[in-house]
Amino acid sequence: MCFCLGRVNAITAEQVLTRIKRERLYIDNSGYVSDFELQELFREASLSFIAGDTNKDEKISFEEFVSIYQNLKSKQIAETFKKMISRRDGIRSFGGMSGNSCEGTQHSYSDEEKVAFVNWINKALAKDPDCDHLLPMNPNGDSLFSSVRDGILLCKMINLSQPDTIDERVINTKKLTTFKMRENLVLALNSASAIGCTVVSIDAHDLMAGKPHLVLGLFWQIIKVGLFADIEISRNEGLICLLRDGEQLDHLMSLSPEELLLRWVNYHLRNAGTQTISNFSEDIKDSRAYFYLMDQISPKGGGDFRMSIKIDMSGINERNLDRRAGLMLQQAARLDCRQFVSSQDVTSGNSKLNMAFVANMFNTHPALQRGQLNGLDTSHIEAETREEKTFRNWMNSLGVSPYVNHLYWDLCNGLVILQLLEKVNVSVNWRRVNQPPYPAMGGNMKRLGRDVAHFSLVGIGGQNINQGSSMHTLALLWQLMRRSRDGERIGDQIILNWVNSQLSQKRKDCQISSFKDKKISTSLPVIDLIDVIAPGTVKWDMVKRNERGNLNKEDKLDNAKYAVSLARKIGARVYALPDDLVEVNPKMVLTMFLYCDPPTYLKLTPMFLSLL
């Protein structure tokens, strides 16, 4: 992450605060610093951390930072603060490298994170032959930053976190020219966006240059998506065990993966009869919670046919915290859960890496049984639909805050909707935005959508969004997504005419009558269009065809996977899934063609050609 304060060293704390207010200097223009980096800064400065992440999104916004900084105005503290920004143990700092960086900007990254990610990647991809030229990486060197240059490692990690996101037939693995490497990186970035990673401030050039803070930030997002994928009630109903007395199931379902993870730990700590924790930083430094947690979740043998593992609890009596953490990690290794943290990461309270450590333990040994529900109605526990998942990933990829974990609960206060309106070039006056309990948010939101954005909002009111109505929320999100490409709404017929004109000019025989045309189920119209836009991209021996045009479902899905990945490879930020093409979902089909138009590809072409 980049922490941008301009030239801090010759001015007082008061002047720094004034300058921040005046210039509103941010990290790569994203508007926040990470909660983790600020905690590390306070720790190294020997200051008591002032909690400022009020909405628990792991980001410190400008307003939150100002609130924290106002408690640190004294000259003595400001001097310590300034020195720690410049140099901290385990935190590497370097000058801004982008053309947009303000003078004096410093980017920084954590050595501990680099080591943790390298070890995780080395283990996860050790048997992948396509990564033989890159692995194993040296965790103590900088090979991680150069390893992303050809794009292969990023593509593989995305598929590790969300299987089948990328059709690996599309990845360039042989005779890697600069052009082919950049194609892989564009494919990786657009695929990362499709699984909900925020990549708006990263491009292929940044990754080829191996910019450390951007590489680590992207890897963390990708790894986190995979770690948190199953920490959700519809995918793991054993989590219902975490329901507290008197608590409604709806409330439990609305919790974020981080909150569920903390509750899972405390569930087992209570069963062990020991003290619970409230965070993954201060409360885990003594390793006590980890010893008791592992003792609870370790396999006990019996019905699951797994060998019993008895956790050695004697290490909890070791007085030296570093040695105690080392003994704890020896026990974690027996559970095959040794990843992400070192002894120092535990005793220093590195919240990000400790959370990853715990998430990996949950995924390996959840130790939750769906017991007696006592008449609890679980009929409305439904898995997220493809449409809901697509919209959620699209919003998160745009960098909305807070992060959207649950489509309806997390949108009900309207703040994310207002951010989306801004991203489709609708002006939002944030001074007029209501704060909790949002008494008039709905009305403001409808006026913006109807009068400024010219959306069709018949029957959609703020109350519908506030109450989490799926029909009304999805209808509004669809209109926002259609406008997200360039801020303008393009009519269906215009898009359809453009598709058919492109296909006819190149004598392609897959013209379509509408976005419901059954031909689309074969994905051949999409593949033909990609061939028109980017000649030479399609490997025709990978495409399933027959003279009658009748393909079985397996061949259709094979073509669809290939088409979606090809579209992302040529620069289209596609959120549709292969099943959307096979089932001819007209909304998602429309977005495929909308994002595959020539300007998307042509914007990349001159950059590519300049490197040949």
Side-chain angles (χ1 to χ4, degrees):
M1 300 296 289
C2 153
F3 190 22
C4 182
L5 283 179
R7 290 181 173 173
V8 183
N9 53 324
I11 55 180
T12 66
E14 190 68 31
Q15 288 171 319
V16 170
L17 183 59
T18 301
R19 178 167 178 172
I20 293 172
K21 288 179 177 178
R22 184 176 71 250
E23 300 184 22
R24 298 182 71 84
L25 302 177
Y26 292 169
I27 304 170
D28 294 333
N29 297 318
S30 66
Y32 60 83
V33 296
S34 73
D35 181 53
F36 158 73
E37 182 160 303
L38 205 57
Q39 286 190 45
E40 290 292 294
L41 181 63
F42 274 72
R43 179 177 62 82
E44 293 297 330
S46 299
L47 298 172
S48 297
F49 181 64
I50 300 172
D53 185 16
T54 55
N55 57 9
K56 307 300 182 185
D57 64 351
E58 298 184 18
K59 302 172 183 178
I60 301 295
S61 68
F62 173 76
E63 289 76 15
E64 289 171 330
F65 178 75
V66 170
S67 177
I68 295 170
Y69 201 87
Q70 284 173 341
N71 293 289
L72 297 172
K73 287 184 179 179
S74 75
K75 183 176 180 180
Q76 182 179 1
I77 296 180
E79 279 299 308
T80 306
F81 201 65
K82 174 262 296 183
K83 290 176 182 177
M84 290 305 104
I85 291 171
S86 301
R87 186 170 185 172
R88 288 166 284 163
D89 292 338
I91 301 292
R92 300 289 185 91
S93 299
F94 52 96
M97 293 183 287
S98 69
N100 294 327
S101 293
C102 59
E103 186 179 3
T105 296
Q106 281 199 332
H107 302 288
S108 64
Y109 68 91
S110 162
D111 268 329
E112 290 87 352
E113 287 182 30
K114 180 196 68 175
V115 171
F117 298 167
V118 166
N119 289 333
W120 177 254
I121 295 168
N122 281 342
K123 181 180 180 181
L125 299 179
K127 297 181 180 179
D128 193 319
D130 291 332
C131 297
D132 283 346
H133 64 298
L134 299 170
L135 303 180
M137 293 179 284
N138 179 5
N140 297 316
D142 292 334
S143 56
L144 176 64
F145 308 127
S146 59
S147 71
V148 301
R149 178 177 169 79
D150 64 15
I152 295 174
L153 197 67
L154 279 171
C155 289
K156 296 289 185 173
M157 284 301 296
I158 289 168
N159 273 355
L160 181 70
S161 284
Q162 289 286 285
D164 296 325
T165 297
I166 297 174
D167 186 334
E168 297 199 359
R169 295 174 295 174
V170 174
I171 303 173
N172 299 320
T173 58
K174 307 295 183 183
K175 298 179 180 179
L176 292 174
T177 63
T178 301
F179 178 83
K180 288 185 176 181
M181 289 191 288
R182 291 187 71 90
E183 278 190 326
N184 282 348
L185 289 170
V186 171
L187 170 63
L189 285 170
N190 287 328
S191 300
S193 180
I195 64 172
C197 298
T198 304
V199 299
V200 290
S201 60
I202 311 174
D203 60 26
H205 175 74
D206 293 324
L207 297 177
M208 290 198 81
K211 295 183 179 180
H213 63 299
L214 297 180
V215 172
L216 281 178
L218 182 57
F219 269 126
W220 169 240
Q221 290 188 78
I222 294 169
I223 291 170
K224 188 177 178 181
V225 166
L227 288 174
F228 285 3
D230 289 331
I231 308 177
E232 200 265 319
I233 290 177
S234 66
R235 300 187 65 167
N236 190 337
E237 289 196 7
L239 287 166
I240 294 176
C241 294
L242 308 183
L243 198 66
R244 294 171 178 168
D245 291 341
E247 183 180 24
Q248 296 295 315
L249 182 58
D250 282 347
H251 180 262
L252 183 67
M253 293 176 65
S254 71
L255 298 181
S256 68
E258 294 91 334
E259 291 169 322
L260 284 172
L261 201 59
L262 188 61
R263 190 175 286 202
W264 172 74
V265 172
N266 286 331
Y267 169 82
H268 287 298
L269 294 182
R270 288 190 184 95
N271 287 343
T274 189
Q275 184 180 352
T276 59
I277 64 173
S278 59
N279 55 63
F280 295 118
S281 51
E282 288 292 328
D283 290 359
I284 51 80
K285 287 182 176 181
D286 62 3
S287 300
R288 176 198 58 81
Y290 287 154
F291 270 108
Y292 285 109
L293 173 63
M294 290 188 292
D295 187 50
Q296 288 292 307
I297 67 175
S298 61
K300 303 300 188 287
D304 57 4
F305 301 104
R306 289 192 295 177
M307 183 181 297
S308 175
I309 299 176
K310 177 65 176 176
I311 298 298
D312 182 355
M313 297 289 287
S314 62
I316 205 169
N317 297 316
E318 169 60 54
R319 291 188 177 185
N320 182 284
L321 292 186
D322 287 320
R323 287 199 291 268
R324 186 190 298 177
L327 293 171
M328 179 275 295
L329 290 174
Q330 289 178 19
Q331 300 306 307
R334 297 177 62 209
L335 297 177
D336 196 24
C337 296
R338 175 64 181 76
Q339 290 76 28
F340 291 111
V341 293
S342 65
S343 299
Q344 185 179 2
D345 296 327
V346 175
T347 57
S348 67
N350 186 318
S351 58
K352 178 185 291 186
L353 296 182
N354 276 281
M355 182 171 62
F357 174 60
V358 174
N360 186 48
M361 279 200 284
F362 173 89
N363 291 326
T364 310
H365 301 285
L368 293 174
Q369 299 294 328
R370 188 181 176 185
Q372 297 295 323
L373 297 181
N374 297 322
L376 191 65
D377 180 15
T378 60
S379 61
H380 62 298
I381 299 179
E382 298 178 354
E384 187 176 43
T385 67
R386 285 203 315 272
E387 185 177 21
E388 291 166 349
K389 183 177 182 179
T390 298
F391 283 134
R392 186 172 57 80
N393 285 337
W394 163 67
M395 288 184 285
N396 286 327
S397 74
L398 296 177
V400 297
S401 180
Y403 189 89
V404 178
N405 292 296
H406 305 287
L407 191 64
Y408 307 114
W409 285 302
D410 293 348
L411 266 59
C412 68
N413 64 21
L415 291 179
V416 169
I417 297 292
L418 291 171
Q419 292 174 58
L420 293 174
L421 284 166
E422 270 198 330
K423 293 180 185 297
V424 298
N425 299 330
V426 176
S427 179
V428 175
N429 184 350
W430 288 98
R431 293 181 180 179
R432 299 184 62 185
V433 172
N434 300 291
Q435 299 303 315
Y438 312 107
M441 177 69 73
N444 291 344
M445 202 159 47
K446 183 164 184 174
R447 283 195 293 275
L448 278 168
R450 181 191 61 212
D451 301 335
V452 182
H454 306 295
F455 291 160
S456 174
L457 299 179
V458 177
I460 303 177
Q463 185 177 7
N464 302 127
I465 307 300
N466 182 255
Q467 293 176 348
S469 167
S470 59
M471 179 181 70
H472 297 95
T473 302
L474 292 175
L476 177 57
L477 289 176
W478 165 238
Q479 295 187 67
L480 284 163
M481 190 178 194
R482 282 203 55 169
R483 286 276 296 271
S484 67
R485 189 190 174 279
D486 54 15
E488 297 294 331
R489 186 186 188 281
I490 304 173
D492 293 12
Q493 193 60 46
I494 293 175
I495 300 171
L496 186 64
N497 291 342
W498 172 79
V499 171
N500 286 328
S501 68
Q502 295 297 309
L503 294 174
S504 62
Q505 286 175 18
K506 299 297 180 179
R507 299 182 180 180
K508 301 286 186 179
D509 58 1
C510 281
Q511 296 188 35
I512 55 176
S513 59
S514 72
F515 297 117
K516 298 179 181 179
D517 195 317
K518 294 302 180 183
K519 289 181 185 177
I520 296 170
S521 68
T522 66
S523 295
L524 295 177
V526 178
I527 294 172
D528 279 343
L529 181 63
I530 291 170
D531 185 53
V532 171
I533 295 172
T537 300
V538 179
K539 297 177 182 178
W540 290 105
D541 59 326
M542 302 287 185
V543 180
K544 304 293 191 301
R545 288 181 181 268
N546 61 38
E547 294 181 358
R548 297 181 180 180
N550 297 322
L551 299 178
N552 60 40
K553 188 172 182 179
E554 183 179 350
D555 286 344
K556 287 180 177 180
L557 185 58
D558 207 43
N559 278 355
K561 291 178 180 178
Y562 190 58
V564 169
S565 289
L566 278 178
R568 291 171 181 159
K569 185 178 181 178
I570 68 169
R573 189 149 290 178
V574 172
Y575 296 89
L577 300 173
D579 286 326
D580 292 321
L581 292 179
V582 174
E583 297 174 12
V584 194
N585 179 333
K587 288 182 178 179
M588 293 300 116
V589 167
L590 185 150
T591 64
M592 278 288 298
F593 290 119
L594 179 64
Y595 283 87
C596 275
D597 68 353
T600 304
Y601 181 72
L602 293 176
K603 286 175 184 176
L604 299 170
T605 304
M607 178 173 61
F608 285 165
L609 295 179
S610 68
L611 294 165
L612 293 180

